């Protein structure tokens, strides 16, 4: 994709987001269960590090292995990546209706209720939809969505490279773009 194509995609996305409209009502619903999806926030290693630096928490207190697993021959269970920890279903960083790590919240949180699947814009239930949004904010969300998609693609490439290094012995393994570890 050329730089011009990227600019076109960003501006088309921004136009669509502006047409749909969105303004966060700060209800915190997207950080609780039942927000129209399962409120699982998948996080990249760099996002966990940013939250760790901001909060002083250890990585293991921030995120846990993603719950979906696959089984491989040799009695191996593998999960790919991590999700933010939840307490009683709520994101562990939700306090009232505020986010305790707002300045460094993961990109999924910055772009919700919008997600990109390939080049398709998905919209999830949210009270803020339909409200006016500035052109600048629509562009910011579009840019974040495209950055996230590029990061996901890169993470998948890295995971594919790491995958053959999963040890042959039985166990529960976690694989991300930075390597393989036992759970
Ligand atoms: S990190 Fe913040 S914005 Fe994201 S789900 Fe948790 S409380 Fe909500």
């Amino acid at each position: 994709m050329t730089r011009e194509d990227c600019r076109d995609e960003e501006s088309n996305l921004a136009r669509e987001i502006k047409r749909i409209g969105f303004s966060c009502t700060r209800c915190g619903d997207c950080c609780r269960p039942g927000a129209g999806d399962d409120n699982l926030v998948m996080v990249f290693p760099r996002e966990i590090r940013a939250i760790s630096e901001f909060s002083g928490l250890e990585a293991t207190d921030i995120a846990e292995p993603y719950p979906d697993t696959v089984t491989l021959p040799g009695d191996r269970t593998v999960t790919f990546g991590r999700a933010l920890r939840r307490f009683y279903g709520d994101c562990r960083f939700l306090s009232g209706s505020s986010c305790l790590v707002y300045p460094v919240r993961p990109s999924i949180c910055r772009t919700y209720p919008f997600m990109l699947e390939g080049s398709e814009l998905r919209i999830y239930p949210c009270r803020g939809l339909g409200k006016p949004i500035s052109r600048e904010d629509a562009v910011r969300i579009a840019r974040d969505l495209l950055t996230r998609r590029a990061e996901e693609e890169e993470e998948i490439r890295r995971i594919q490279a790491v995958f053959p290094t999963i040890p042959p012995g039985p166990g529960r393994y976690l694989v991300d773009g930075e390597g393989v570890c036992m759970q």
Side-chain angles (χ1 to χ4, degrees):
M1 197 181 263
T2 65
R3 193 171 290 184
E4 207 158 274
D5 290 337
C6 291
R7 266 202 300 270
D8 284 353
E9 190 174 19
E10 181 185 296
S11 97
N12 289 341
L13 262 180
R15 199 174 308 119
E16 182 63 0
I17 291 166
K18 177 121 182 64
R19 187 190 65 73
I20 294 163
F22 167 69
S23 175
C24 179
T25 63
R26 305 205 180 275
C27 62
D29 281 357
C30 56
C31 316
R32 299 187 182 98
D37 60 9
D38 56 11
N39 88 331
L40 261 182
V41 176
M42 195 161 191
V43 275
F44 294 128
R46 69 153 186 89
E47 293 177 316
I48 298 172
R49 281 193 286 274
I51 294 173
S52 180
E53 277 170 29
F54 182 83
S55 65
L57 291 170
E58 296 292 329
T60 49
D61 292 327
I62 293 168
E64 61 193 352
Y66 202 77
D68 291 345
T69 57
V70 295
T71 305
L72 298 180
D75 204 13
R76 295 174 295 170
T77 305
V78 182
T79 190
F80 300 93
R82 296 175 177 81
L84 288 183
R85 283 193 181 278
R86 294 176 293 177
F87 287 156
Y88 300 104
D90 293 355
C91 173
R92 67 148 298 157
F93 294 112
L94 184 66
S95 171
S97 60
S98 300
C99 173
L100 296 174
V101 292
Y102 192 81
V104 291
R105 67 200 186 285
S107 61
I108 285 180
C109 307
R110 288 201 308 273
T111 61
Y112 192 91
F114 302 102
M115 296 270 276
L116 261 189
E117 274 182 30
S119 55
E120 196 169 331
L121 183 65
R122 298 257 182 225
I123 302 153
Y124 289 85
C126 174
R127 302 185 206 200
L129 283 169
K131 299 184 185 300
I133 182 170
S134 68
R135 165 90 188 142
E136 294 70 37
D137 283 348
V139 168
R140 198 248 328 139
I141 292 173
R143 198 166 289 156
D144 283 347
L145 284 169
L146 292 171
T147 302
R148 168 93 195 174
R149 186 181 67 188
E151 273 190 296
E152 271 171 3
E153 288 168 354
E154 177 59 25
E155 184 74 358
I156 289 168
R157 274 194 290 275
R158 288 185 186 177
I159 284 174
Q160 284 168 339
V162 161
F163 194 80
T165 68
I166 299 172
R172 293 177 63 83
Y173 298 98
L174 189 147
V175 180
D176 65 19
E178 298 187 350
V180 180
C181 61
M182 293 288 284
Q183 289 185 43

